[in-house]
C-alpha cells in the first residue's frame, strides 16, 4: 500500500474487514472485542511475514517474485515502507503531505532483516496503543478510521507472505484463519484491482478450493 486510495498493491483504503471466522463472530457487536481481534490478526500476519524475511538466504535477495517486476528485496522493501507509514499516520496523525517523500526509495540499507524487524515492531506498537484503532488516519482518499486501515495492512501482509514464500521456496501454506480474513477483506473491491501491476487477472479456483487458494486466485496468483 502506498497510502493512496488505490495503492501500488491495488488496495483501496478504508474498506472494513468482514472476516467470518469464529473470533469475528464473537467480536460482532462488541467494539472492544472486534478491535482485539483485528489487532491479533494483524500481529500474526506481520510476524508471519517476518519469519519469511528471516528465511531469505543471502543469494536470494535479487530473486524474482510473483509480483511483477519486483525482486525479493523490492518486495521486502515494500512491506517495510508500509510499516514505516503506520506510526506517522496512526500515532502522529500526520497527513500524506507532511510525510512527503521521506519514506520513498530503499529503506532496507545494508541489513534488510534488521530494517524489517524495526519497522514491523514500530507498526505493531502504534496500532496497539490504547485507542489507536478509534483514531482518524489521513489518507489520499480523505480522513478515515484506523481500524479498516489495520485490516488492509493485515491482508497485504498475508498475500505478500505467500509471494515471498513462493520466491524463496519456503512453506506456502498459511494459517487458515488469516487466509479467510484476508479473503473477506479484499473480496468487496477485488474487481477493481486488475489495473494494478501487482495483480494479474483473476484465476478460476478449483471448485473445492480453500480460502487461501481462493484468495490467491482472486488476486491473480497461481498457487
Amino acid at each position: 500500500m502506498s497510502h493512496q486510495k488505490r495503492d501500488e498493491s491495488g488496495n483501496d483504503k478504508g474498506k472494513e474487514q468482514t472476516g467470518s471466522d469464529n473470533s469475528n463472530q464473537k467480536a460482532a457487536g462488541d467494539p472492544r472485542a472486534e478491535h482485539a481481534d483485528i489487532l491479533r490478526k494483524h500481529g500474526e500476519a506481520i510476524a508471519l511475514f517476518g519469519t519469511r524475511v528471516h528465511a531469505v538466504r543471502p543469494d536470494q535477495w535479487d530473486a524474482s517474485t510473483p509480483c511483477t517486476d519486483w525482486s525479493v528485496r523490492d518486495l521486502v522493501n515494500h512491506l517495510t515502507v508500509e510499516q514505516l507509514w503506520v506510526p506517522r499516520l496512526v500515532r502522529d496523525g500526520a497527513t500524506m503531505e507532511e510525510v512527503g517523500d521521506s519514506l520513498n526509495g530503499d529503506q532496507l540499507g545494508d541489513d534488510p532483516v534488521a530494517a524489517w524487524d524495526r519497522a514491523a515492531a514500530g507498526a505493531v506498537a502504534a496500532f496497539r496503543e490504547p485507542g489507536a484503532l478509534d483514531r482518524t488516519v489521513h489518507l489520499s482518499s480523505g480522513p478515515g478510521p484506523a481500524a479498516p486501515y489495520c485490516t488492509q495492512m493485515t491482508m497485504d501482509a498475508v498475500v505478500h507472505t505467500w509471494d515471498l514464500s513462493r520466491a524463496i521456496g519456503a512453506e506456502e501454506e498459511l494459517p487458515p484463519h488469516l487466509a479467510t480474513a484476508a479473503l473477506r477483506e479484499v473480496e468487496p473491491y477485488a474487481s477493481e484491482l486488475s489495473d494494478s501491476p501487482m495483480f494479474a487477472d483473476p484465476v478460476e479456483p478449483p471448485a473445492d478450493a480453500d480460502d487461501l487458494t481462493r484468495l490467491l486466485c482472486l488476486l491473480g496468483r497461481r498457487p
Side-chain angles (χ1 to χ4, degrees):
M1 301 178 188
S2 62
H3 310 281
Q4 301 174 4
K5 185 175 182 181
R6 175 174 297 155
D7 62 29
E8 62 184 340
S9 298
N11 300 326
D12 288 341
K13 300 295 184 182
K15 293 184 170 64
E16 189 167 1
Q17 178 178 331
T18 58
S20 60
D21 64 15
N22 290 337
S23 57
N24 280 341
Q25 293 172 4
K26 293 177 181 178
D30 183 344
R32 289 179 298 180
E34 181 182 0
H35 284 184
D37 185 60
I38 289 172
L39 292 173
R40 177 178 59 82
K41 288 187 175 74
H42 175 261
E44 290 176 356
I46 295 299
L48 188 63
F49 186 81
T51 65
R52 303 308 194 266
V53 174
H54 280 260
V56 178
R57 299 193 311 266
D59 63 343
Q60 291 181 313
W61 289 101
D62 292 327
S64 61
T65 74
C67 304
T68 304
D69 298 330
W70 277 8
S71 68
V72 166
R73 184 182 177 95
D74 294 331
L75 177 57
V76 174
N77 185 66
H78 165 68
L79 263 292
T80 299
V81 170
E82 289 301 292
Q83 310 322 307
L84 292 172
W85 273 92
V86 174
R88 295 304 318 278
L89 296 178
V90 176
R91 177 181 293 150
D92 301 341
T95 65
M96 293 180 61
E97 291 74 20
E98 288 170 337
V99 177
D101 62 2
S102 62
L103 298 178
N104 289 0
D106 181 81
Q107 300 292 324
L108 299 183
D110 296 331
D111 191 342
V113 175
W116 160 259
D117 285 345
R118 289 191 298 271
V124 169
F127 274 129
R128 290 186 176 180
E129 288 181 355
L133 295 188
D134 292 316
R135 297 173 189 164
T136 297
V137 290
H138 298 278
L139 308 171
S140 67
S141 55
Y149 173 41
C150 188
T151 65
Q152 289 197 10
M153 293 290 280
T154 300
M155 184 274 291
D156 205 41
V158 171
V159 174
H160 287 318
T161 295
W162 184 87
D163 291 331
L164 187 54
S165 299
R166 171 64 61 95
I168 66 173
E171 174 59 58
E172 295 179 11
E173 287 298 319
L174 306 181
H177 69 286
L178 291 182
T180 297
L183 178 63
R184 299 294 178 264
E185 162 62 28
V186 77
E187 278 181 322
Y189 51 91
S191 62
E192 303 171 19
L193 303 181
S194 59
D195 60 348
S196 167
M198 285 297 299
F199 300 111
D201 291 335
V203 177
E204 186 68 26
D208 61 349
D210 60 13
D211 281 351
L212 176 59
T213 300
R214 292 175 58 207
L215 170 69
L216 297 171
C217 288
L218 186 63
L219 300 180
R221 271 66 171 173
R222 296 183 180 273

